[in-house]
């Protein structure tokens, strides 16, 4: 059923490239595929970090995020649903506000990032950096970008490599 819905939405989005409704429907489909997914390879490892609050990870920010959401639920699947909603909503807002062809861009995004949700920390980092680049570009102030990179390093240490993009703002 998911394959049929995906194909229909893809075809419609290729025809109605400017449709905000199709864009939203594609993101709802992505959310359903990610938020309720239990079969990816890293699911058990991430669930262990969430369920066991004393589980040691090198990324303090990700641990804090787990503990914060853990205040409201003890179900890891609910955590995934919440995080996927927040992240995909951020990307959706980005696309709707900046793309002249939101439905088409949503299809492209869907295809490119189809497997990215498996790596939840990377996805959090990618979304955080994308939003910070947008804010930095609009405000002409790189402090936001640097702050996002440093904050991102608490989620995933790989974030620090994005400081190499700093000269691009000048």
């Amino acid at each position: 059923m998911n394959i049929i819905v995906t194909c229909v939405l893809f075809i419609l989005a290729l025809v109605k490239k400017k449709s905000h409704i199709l864009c939203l429907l594609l993101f709802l489909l992505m959310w359903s595929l990610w938020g309720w997914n239990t079969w990816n390879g890293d699911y058990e490892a991430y669930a262990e970090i969430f369920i066991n609050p004393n589980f040691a990870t090198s990324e303090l920010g990700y641990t804090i995020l787990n503990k914060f959401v853990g205040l409201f639920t003890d179900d890891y699947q609910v955590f995934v649903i919440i995080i996927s909603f927040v992240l995909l909503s951020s990307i959706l807002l980005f696309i709707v506000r900046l793309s002249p062809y939101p439905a088409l861009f949503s299809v492209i995004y869907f295809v490119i990032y189809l497997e990215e949700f498996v790596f939840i920390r990377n996805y959090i980092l990618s979304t955080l950096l994308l939003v910070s680049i947008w804010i930095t570009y609009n405000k002409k102030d790189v402090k936001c970008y640097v702050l996002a990179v440093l904050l991102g390093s608490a989620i995933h240490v790989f974030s620090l490599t994005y400081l190499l993009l700093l000269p691009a703002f000048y």
Side-chain angles (χ1 to χ4, degrees), residues 71-83:
L71 294 172
F72 305 101
T73 182
D74 60 350
D75 186 354
Y76 175 69
Q77 194 63 48
V78 173
F79 171 78
V80 173
I81 291 167
I82 292 168
I83 294 301

Side-chain angles (χ1 to χ4, degrees), residues 5-74:
V5 170
T6 303
C7 289
V8 168
L9 287 175
F10 275 25
I11 291 167
L12 289 172
L14 293 174
V15 174
K16 300 274 192 181
K17 299 173 181 100
K18 294 184 177 187
S19 173
H20 287 85
I21 301 292
L22 286 171
C23 177
L24 177 63
L25 290 174
L26 281 160
F27 270 84
L28 287 172
L29 175 63
M30 284 187 261
W31 184 41
S32 71
L33 293 174
W34 179 11
W36 285 265
N37 175 29
T38 60
W39 48 263
N40 74 58
D42 290 341
Y43 186 88
E44 290 177 15
Y46 283 128
E48 180 63 31
I49 293 169
F50 181 80
I51 293 166
N52 183 356
N54 298 321
F55 193 84
T57 64
S58 59
E59 287 85 6
L60 182 61
Y62 186 70
T63 302
I64 291 170
L65 178 64
N66 277 269
K67 288 182 180 185
F68 177 72
V69 175
L71 294 172
F72 305 101
T73 182
D74 60 350

